[in-house]
């Protein structure tokens, strides 16, 4: 049996995500995912290996979508503008992919899987997160003159925690005023780091 085309894969992952969001991780059995997606059970096993493989793929797809926008936005050479752009990108992700945002925000990855994440997943996640961590390190260095644990944590609170908490509170119906309020809050905090040096 040939592996499904990309479109078919997205349909499968969408179905798995919908089951998890509607009824919790245990609702997303291989049989339930197959029924919801219209894909044969054999296709799921061939493409993903098992239930954990399907749910891992759905979760990582959501993370890739989030990181794609945020990492692109982080490229501005000015650290304040880069941080503000990252916050805007997080909001854009929440609007464009509200179900992916809900999956990342409301379901702990270890709760998705039978037996929890394995070493291969942890290694893949570390690889995926490395560019974001590097951007946080750059912003901290540019704003504070150093990238110690405290400085990276300060930047993370603005460009990671602030949008995370906001998306979690408001998703999926993000009010338009967040497009003004959240970036301005981020700008104020990041600019204060530039001048405070602490």
């Amino acid at each position: 049996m040939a592996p499904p085309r990309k479109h078919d894969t997205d349909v499968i992952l969408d179905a798995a995500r919908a089951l998890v969001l509607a009824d919790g991780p245990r609702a997303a059995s291989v049989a339930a995912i197959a029924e919801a997606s219209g894909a044969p059970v054999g296709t799921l096993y061939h493409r993903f290996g098992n239930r954990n493989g399907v749910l891992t793929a759905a979760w990582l797809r959501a993370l890739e979508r989030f990181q794609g926008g945020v990492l692109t936005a982080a490229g501005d050479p000015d650290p304040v503008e880069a941080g503000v752009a990252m916050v805007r990108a997080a909001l854009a992700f929440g609007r464009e992919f509200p179900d992916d945002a809900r999956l990342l925000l409301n379901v702990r990855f270890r709760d998705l899987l039978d037996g929890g994440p394995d070493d291969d997943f942890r290694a893949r996640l570390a690889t995926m997160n490395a560019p974001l961590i590097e951007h946080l390190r750059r912003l901290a260095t540019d704003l504070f003159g150093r990238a110690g644990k405290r400085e990276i944590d300060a930047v993370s609170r603005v460009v990671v925690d602030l949008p995370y908490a906001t998306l979690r509170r408001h998703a999926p119906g993000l009010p338009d005023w967040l497009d003004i309020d959240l970036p301005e809050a981020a700008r104020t905090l990041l600019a204060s780091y530039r001048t405070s040096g602490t």
Side-chain angles (χ1 to χ4, degrees), residues 11-192:
V11 169
I12 292 166
L13 299 183
D14 289 348
R17 181 188 62 201
L19 288 165
V20 169
L21 293 176
D23 297 312
R26 298 282 62 88
S29 65
V30 169
I33 296 167
E35 182 177 347
S37 67
V41 169
T43 296
L44 271 65
Y45 281 113
H46 179 79
R47 173 66 177 89
F48 300 101
N50 55 29
R51 173 186 177 278
N52 279 4
V54 180
L55 296 179
T56 296
W59 196 87
L60 289 175
R61 180 186 66 167
L63 184 62
E64 287 170 353
R65 287 172 170 174
F66 168 75
Q67 287 188 344
V70 170
L71 292 175
T72 298
D76 193 299
D78 181 274
V80 172
E81 294 309 315
V84 169
M86 291 168 78
V87 168
R88 285 194 178 110
L91 285 173
F93 164 75
R95 286 207 169 87
E96 185 175 357
F97 301 107
D99 289 337
D100 282 339
R102 288 176 57 214
L103 184 67
L104 293 178
L105 295 168
N106 297 319
V107 181
R108 294 181 303 181
F109 185 77
R110 66 179 173 265
D111 294 338
L112 276 178
L113 304 184
D114 299 326
D118 60 17
D119 290 340
D120 288 340
F121 172 79
R122 289 187 184 92
R124 183 169 179 191
L125 185 60
T127 299
M128 288 177 70
N129 285 335
L132 177 59
I133 293 167
E134 196 51 44
H135 279 295
L136 296 175
R137 188 180 313 282
R138 176 185 68 90
L139 296 184
T141 300
D142 290 350
L143 290 169
F144 291 100
R146 59 190 177 274
K149 187 173 182 178
R150 182 178 182 187
E151 291 78 25
I152 293 171
D153 188 72
V155 172
S156 297
R157 285 194 305 268
V158 178
V159 300
V160 177
D161 297 346
L162 183 62
Y164 177 95
T166 302
L167 286 171
R168 188 167 190 171
R169 175 180 295 176
H170 293 286
L174 299 174
D176 291 341
W177 42 261
L178 287 174
D179 293 333
I180 297 169
D181 291 0
L182 204 62
E184 284 308 308
R187 184 184 307 281
T188 299
L189 286 167
L190 293 169
S192 76

